Amino acid sequence: MTELIPQPGSVVAGSGEVRLTARSQLYAGTATEGVGNWLRTVLQQATGLPLHEGRELDDACDDGIGLQLDSALGPEEYRLVSDGNGVVIEGGSPAGVFWGAQTLRQLLGPDAYRRASLDRRRTWAVPHLTIQDSPRFPWRGLMLDVARHFMPKEGVLRYLDLMAAHKLNVFHFHLTDDQGWRVQIKRYPKLTEIGSWRARTKFGHRASPLWDDKPHGGYYTQDDIREIVAYAAERHITVVPEIDVPGHSQAAIAAYPELGNTDVIDTNSLPVWDNWGINPNVLAPTDNTLRFYEGVFEELLELFPSEFIHVGGDECLKDQWKQSATAQARIAELGLADEDELQSWFIGHFDKWLSARGRRLVGWDEILEGGLADGAVVSSWRGYEGGITAARAGHDVVMCPEQYVYLDWRQAPGEDEPVPIAHVRTLEDVYRFEPVPEQLSEAEARHVLGTQANVWTEVMEDHARVDYQTFPRLAAFSEVAWSALPAPAERDFADFERRMTAHYARLDALGVAYRPPTGPLPWQRRPGVLGRPLDGPPPRA
């Protein structure tokens, strides 16, 4: 079972195998105890073997598993050796050991992903081999939008496990938008009392005539967030929260109308939005708004230890600011040229605020408009151009161009694709995605921290729809983010498809409702629900 995803740096096959038995032990050396606890738990569940705790590495000899650090390896690098001395996984850090443990789980076969043993009499074996492996990028991310459709905590924890199984290490948690506010802020209780639910929901694309008239909502308590962050940390995943400003903020304005442009519209009449698209109701650029969101971020920083805090910054329509005497007075007071520079000032305020507290601001590539905030990291989503501009200006970049890694985009041209959105982006298209723009010099390319796949949930009403849109394409993305692949045109997609045959069985064992390679199953279709399919290839990224 060496059909590994993502593809390791090198695999040298041996002859023979290590068989795990009732007398096999698992030894976890200094600083790898957490990985040992995780590995013992999942393997005990799947195999029914006790995997007793070994006190020395020699206890893992012959038929056991040993975990330890090797300072000569890179931080996330690992070496897995399976031979007559058992299985030994060494990593440059606990994270490296953990990724090696994920590879070991794949080597044991699909049933190693089950939560109970199917047959306690079966043989569990690891082929003799040596694997040397390390990631290409330090940022290997998945963004999950829980604002448009709320995902209960158990679903989020499940996605952290799925990320870990694919060696992804950054969970971008999109917590707020026009359609819902999903995190408890104790000093502003109306954000969840009012902002966390909407009266109804558009079913399908915004042009669809269909509505789900059932109220939709939900939020995570601060203890839920602490649990999610701790669960992620055990899996060596960093959680990066997103609180969207100054656009995508109608849920917050519905809860606290003074945050909106009150001299332009009656903000007291605004509900949490029930439709999709770009919303004109944006935050007012006032001192009150700044202080309010500083209060939000103060609580957020207590919950999320991540160096990075995402503030959105995308799709902020400026129409209300153009009409607002308050906004125009602010532009004049600050000596700004226009509303684009006003947004840059807004983002720059939080860049400085976060920097003073030892954090780094991340924003979508619109934060480039009107001048780039000092120290900000750019999530380049509208193509490569934003990332190129930012990297050349000396700013770090996360590449997530919609043309390749927006997983809400449809997967095939067939009419059976459920709620088809945008252009077709197949499994092969994702596999041939190259995160580093060819226009960058070697020095500029070092600003590319990595890459991220984004799952926007406007047309994903439950976890089964999220699974369908996300998998199997996330498996291809994980290999792009982890493995040192050749140029896109030279990548061996046929070999990837061969390895996916084994990987589908792993996803089956994990209960993932992925899109089958032959097309959607009958219950995965959404006949009559309007999408927004676009013909032809997407515009150049």
Side-chain angles (χ1 to χ4, degrees):
M1 181 58 66
T2 56
E3 294 87 353
L4 301 173
I5 291 176
Q7 189 175 58
S10 72
V11 179
V12 178
S15 59
E17 62 184 18
V18 174
R19 292 196 174 190
L20 301 182
T21 68
R23 66 185 185 88
S24 296
Q25 297 189 21
L26 194 159
Y27 165 77
T30 302
T32 72
E33 295 89 348
V35 181
N37 290 337
W38 174 85
L39 184 60
R40 180 178 291 106
T41 298
V42 296
L43 293 188
Q44 283 177 338
Q45 289 175 345
T47 67
L49 299 174
L51 291 175
H52 298 296
E53 183 176 353
R55 298 186 180 278
E56 301 289 343
L57 184 60
D58 287 347
D59 293 341
C61 281
D62 301 331
D63 63 356
I65 301 168
L67 312 175
Q68 64 182 9
L69 299 184
D70 182 346
S71 60
L73 299 175
E76 292 188 279
E77 186 177 4
Y78 71 89
R79 178 171 52 246
L80 187 156
V81 179
S82 170
D83 58 19
N85 294 315
V87 179
V88 176
I89 301 171
E90 298 173 302
S93 71
V97 176
F98 183 72
W99 304 131
Q102 292 290 351
T103 298
L104 172 63
R105 200 179 183 193
Q106 289 198 21
L107 291 169
L108 285 166
D111 287 342
Y113 290 85
R114 298 191 180 274
R115 296 187 184 182
S117 174
L118 304 183
D119 182 358
R120 292 179 180 265
R121 297 167 299 177
R122 69 164 287 175
T123 298
W124 293 93
V126 182
H128 284 177
L129 46 63
T130 299
I131 295 175
Q132 193 84 27
D133 200 14
S134 62
R136 181 183 179 191
F137 295 110
W139 185 302
R140 307 180 302 281
L142 173 70
M143 189 227 68
L144 182 62
D145 167 23
V146 296
R148 273 49 176 271
H149 278 99
F150 179 67
M151 179 177 285
K153 182 191 68 178
E154 286 302 314
V156 175
L157 300 179
R158 173 176 175 266
Y159 259 81
L160 291 170
D161 280 328
L162 292 172
M163 286 179 64
H166 292 83
K167 298 185 174 71
L168 301 175
N169 69 341
V170 177
F171 179 54
H172 176 166
F173 206 6
H174 184 80
L175 288 165
T176 73
D177 219 295
D178 299 300
Q179 298 86 359
W181 185 284
R182 305 298 180 210
V183 56
Q184 179 188 30
I185 303 297
K186 291 184 177 179
R187 76 183 70 183
Y188 304 129
K190 292 180 183 178
L191 287 172
T192 47
E193 291 171 3
I194 296 173
S196 70
W197 69 277
R198 57 183 181 262
R200 64 175 187 168
T201 298
K202 175 68 72 173
F203 191 32
H205 182 254
R206 60 181 175 271
S208 168
L210 304 178
W211 292 90
D212 182 348
D213 289 319
K214 178 177 61 181
H216 178 87
Y219 68 92
Y220 310 102
T221 67
Q222 293 200 354
D223 281 345
D224 290 337
I225 294 293
R226 292 185 181 98
E227 180 183 357
I228 289 167
V229 169
Y231 194 86
E234 290 172 355
R235 287 147 184 78
H236 299 275
I237 295 171
T238 298
V239 183
V240 175
E242 180 180 352
I243 302 294
D244 223 329
V245 297
H248 286 290
S249 297
Q250 185 164 317
I253 297 169
Y256 292 92
E258 66 271 21
L259 296 173
N261 294 283
T262 57
D263 59 346
V264 176
I265 60 163
D266 176 14
T267 56
N268 287 290
S269 67
L270 290 177
V272 176
W273 207 25
D274 57 14
N275 211 329
W276 318 125
I278 303 177
N279 191 303
N281 297 302
V282 302
L283 297 175
T286 64
D287 289 342
N288 174 67
T289 300
L290 298 180
R291 297 294 89 75
F292 183 96
Y293 275 87
E294 285 174 3
V296 170
F297 284 118
E298 282 173 5
E299 293 195 26
L300 212 70
L301 298 190
E302 292 294 320
L303 299 171
F304 295 94
S306 167
E307 175 188 1
F308 302 96
I309 303 293
H310 207 293
V311 301
D314 62 317
E315 297 180 329
C316 179
L317 296 181
K318 312 297 194 301
D319 295 348
Q320 289 182 358
W321 287 354
K322 291 175 182 177
Q323 301 170 43
S324 166
T326 300
Q328 293 303 311
R330 178 66 91 178
I331 289 173
E333 171 198 341
L334 297 170
L336 304 177
D338 54 22
E339 290 76 20
D340 284 342
E341 287 195 4
L342 183 61
Q343 175 169 343
S344 181
W345 164 81
F346 197 106
I347 296 296
H349 174 86
F350 287 103
D351 181 42
K352 294 181 180 69
W353 191 91
L354 290 167
S355 294
R357 288 155 182 81
R359 307 299 183 97
R360 295 182 69 187
L361 178 145
V362 189
W364 302 109
D365 55 46
E366 284 93 333
I367 67 173
L368 292 162
E369 296 167 4
L372 187 61
D374 292 339
V377 178
V378 172
S379 299
S380 187
W381 75 273
R382 292 180 295 180
Y384 285 118
E385 194 58 42
I388 293 168
T389 300
R392 285 177 173 168
H395 292 268
D396 288 340
V397 178
V398 176
M399 295 303 303
C400 48
E402 59 179 341
Q403 297 90 341
Y404 288 96
V405 292
Y406 266 38
L407 301 186
D408 54 325
W409 288 27
R410 57 190 175 135
Q411 302 183 65
E415 293 183 2
D416 288 336
E417 289 302 310
V419 200
I421 297 297
H423 299 274
V424 172
R425 293 285 82 185
T426 65
L427 182 68
E428 182 172 359
D429 290 329
V430 175
Y431 190 67
R432 296 194 188 280
F433 164 53
E434 172 49 51
V436 178
E438 61 183 10
Q439 297 94 324
L440 295 181
S441 68
E442 185 176 341
E444 292 165 345
R446 285 196 284 270
H447 285 291
V448 179
L449 298 178
T451 183
Q452 178 174 290
N454 295 337
V455 180
W456 300 104
T457 63
E458 287 94 334
V459 297
M460 302 180 210
E461 71 277 8
D462 56 34
H463 87 270
R465 282 286 292 122
V466 175
D467 279 6
Y468 180 92
Q469 292 298 137
T470 304
F471 289 96
R473 291 183 294 182
L474 193 69
F477 172 79
S478 74
E479 186 150 310
V480 169
W482 177 278
S483 305
L485 298 177
E490 299 168 9
R491 293 176 188 173
D492 190 347
F493 181 67
D495 178 71
F496 177 77
E497 283 190 303
R498 179 189 64 79
R499 288 180 285 122
M500 275 302 300
T501 302
H503 201 66
Y504 284 121
R506 299 177 190 125
L507 297 179
D508 287 332
L510 286 164
V512 177
Y514 59 85
R515 181 191 187 277
T518 53
L521 298 167
W523 55 87
Q524 293 174 320
R525 300 166 188 161
R526 295 291 186 277
V529 181
L530 188 65
R532 185 180 60 95
L534 298 175
D535 294 330
R540 288 182 60 84

